Structures are given as C-alpha cells and as structure tokens.
Amino acid sequence: MARVLVIVPFPMSAENLEKRKAQLKAVRLGPGIDFEFRPVRIAPVNYVSQQDSVLADIGILEAGIEAEREGFDAVCIDTVSDSGMSALRSVLSIPVIAPGRHAMLTALMLGEKFSVLAMWDRWRHLYSKTVAELGISHKLASVRSAGLQPNNQSLLAGKEDEFFPALYDAAMKAVTEDGAEVIMLGSTTMHEAHTWLAERLPVPILNPGPLTYRMADAAIRLQLSHSRASYPAPRAPAAEVFRRMGEAADVLNAQAAKGGA
C-alpha cells in the first residue's frame, strides 16, 4: 500500500479537515494507495504578505520533514501558493507535489493560454511568483478575482448561492475578455465550486488539489522524484529545530483557543 501525506496549510478541527479530504472524491484513484491529511501547527491567518509566506513555508516544512522516515511514499501540499515545496524537496527524496505549478503546467497541456480564477485580489502575488519562476508569463491570460472573502476553515459551505455565480462571472470574463483557453482554480479552498463551474464553462477548468493526488500516484508508480541538482540536501539537517518550533506553536495555539472560548 502506497501512502501519501497531504499537508493542509492551516491548523483546523477534525470537522473542517473533512472538508479538505472531500477533494479525494473528485479523482478516481485505484486500489493500493492511501492518503493521510495532516494540518500544520505553524501558519499565518492568511497568505497576503511576505511575513505570511515565511510562516507558511516553515509550517509546511515542519509538518512534512519526517514524512519519508514515517513511511510515506509522496507528499502533496494543499495550497496553490506551493508554500514549503522547495524546502521539503531539499530534505526528502520522495516526490513532493505542489498544486500551483502543476496546475499551471497542466493547463498548458490543454490550451495555449490560461487564466487563474481567484477568490480575492490579495492572492495575486502568489500566482505572480509561480508564473515568474516557471517563465510562463506570456502564457498567462489573466488573474481574475471574484472579490470574495475566503474562509480557509469552512471553505464555501453555506455560501454557494452567492459565491458560485460570482466565480462563474469572473471566469467568463477571463474567457471572453482575456482570451483564456483554460481556467485553473486559484485555491484548494475553492474545490467545492469545481463541478458546478465545469458544467457551465466553455473551457476546461482545473481543480489543483485532486490533480496533485493523481500526479503523486503517477510519480510513485513511475518511480520518479525531484532532481537533487535542483534541490540539494542541506549539510546540516534541522529536523529537531523545526520539531521544537512546532511544539511551541502547539502551546500558542492552545492558549489562543482557550482565550477565544
């Protein structure tokens, strides 16, 4: 049985974690592979600043740094920001799959130009960073925001009647005004809208989270992983340092929860 660790980029309750696990229903995976979803202990409130990006990288690295020793065969990162991907690839030999870049590259397998459909405009910097790293700015038709405030815990629950049409309108502008031939969802928190949008849009729309599960499965079966030439291992591994940071975050999170009770 192959085992894949899915790192969820925020601390959350078991109930909210189930909303993340629901992404598995969107892709058919054969027998012989199992997915475990693990929330991070260190995280920003949201991904809107450079400070947030640093916290996100640390939290995701801390959550997955021991994945290989724990017997996992691959790691998926449950955020289109691709936070922690490079750091984890430097310490792990097993495949580390991040949804942002993989969705963008898959979009270019399906069309000449793609657009990112975002919940709100404050995520724009996340996409710009990945597009620049990949050198595909000439293939990006647009980043279209629906102007909606995201909730990284409850996702879109209870807001479907408001959010789905707003996302559809933004996606159609990307197609009709910007020339997008493929759309990708700009966050795994948006996965609940994918089926509704896919049934109505005239172009393919990619659901980044489930895409990573399929790619992890393929990487395991093909015995492929990232290049050490691109992601060299550290000379002084710091797993213990990050473990202690995670323990400190547990204390702070417990204190915050108690204070908010």
Side-chain angles (χ1 to χ4, degrees):
M1 175 71 71
R3 298 174 62 214
V4 179
L5 175 64
V6 181
I7 300 177
V8 179
F10 299 100
M12 60 182 54
S13 66
E15 179 183 358
N16 287 336
L17 190 62
E18 288 300 316
K19 298 180 186 298
R20 298 279 183 162
K21 292 181 180 179
Q23 293 178 86
L24 283 169
K25 299 175 183 177
V27 60
R28 290 186 179 181
L29 295 161
I33 188 165
D34 185 59
F35 290 79
E36 177 179 323
F37 287 68
R38 176 182 298 174
V40 301
R41 302 193 286 184
I42 303 168
V45 174
N46 213 304
Y47 287 34
V48 299
S49 72
Q50 286 81 359
Q51 173 190 276
D52 297 339
S53 296
V54 172
L55 284 172
D57 284 340
I58 292 172
I60 289 172
L61 173 60
E62 190 276 330
I65 199 169
E66 296 288 353
E68 196 164 359
R69 186 185 62 79
E70 293 174 36
F72 288 100
D73 299 285
V75 172
C76 292
I77 297 172
D78 190 29
T79 167
V80 172
S81 68
D82 292 356
S83 300
M85 183 203 73
S86 295
L88 275 178
R89 285 184 172 184
S90 75
V91 297
L92 300 177
S93 297
I94 57 177
V96 178
I97 311 296
R101 66 187 49 225
H102 288 89
M104 291 180 184
L105 294 173
T106 301
L108 294 179
M109 294 168 56
L110 304 177
E112 289 297 318
K113 286 205 166 188
F114 72 97
S115 285
V116 179
L117 176 62
M119 290 279 285
W120 65 341
D121 206 52
R122 294 197 68 180
W123 282 341
R124 184 177 294 269
H125 68 103
L126 303 174
Y127 318 126
S128 298
K129 179 177 180 290
T130 303
V131 167
E133 288 176 351
L134 294 174
I136 56 173
S137 58
H138 60 296
K139 294 292 187 178
L140 178 66
S142 63
V143 175
R144 280 284 180 173
S145 167
L148 304 168
Q149 181 76 31
N151 187 314
N152 55 48
Q153 298 291 323
S154 62
L155 307 188
L156 306 184
K159 302 174 183 177
E160 295 87 349
D161 291 345
E162 173 191 357
F163 281 18
F164 286 13
L167 290 168
Y168 172 80
D169 290 344
M172 284 303 298
K173 287 179 181 177
V175 174
T176 60
E177 299 179 19
D178 307 329
E181 299 168 359
V182 182
I183 303 290
M184 64 168 274
L185 293 179
S187 173
T188 56
T189 63
M190 300 164 65
H191 77 87
E192 292 163 321
H194 178 262
T195 299
W196 191 93
L197 291 169
E199 291 172 349
R200 291 163 173 80
L201 291 175
V203 299
I205 180 166
L206 292 169
N207 196 359
L211 176 64
T212 66
Y213 313 152
R214 172 61 71 192
M215 299 198 73
D217 182 45
I220 292 168
R221 295 180 188 279
L222 294 171
Q223 298 183 340
L224 293 173
S225 192
H226 46 275
S227 169
R228 273 283 167 250
S230 296
Y231 303 96
R235 296 186 64 183
E240 179 63 16
V241 173
F242 289 107
R243 184 186 66 79
R244 293 187 181 185
M245 292 173 70
E247 290 175 349
D250 277 341
V251 173
L252 293 173
N253 291 334
Q255 290 174 347
K258 185 177 181 180

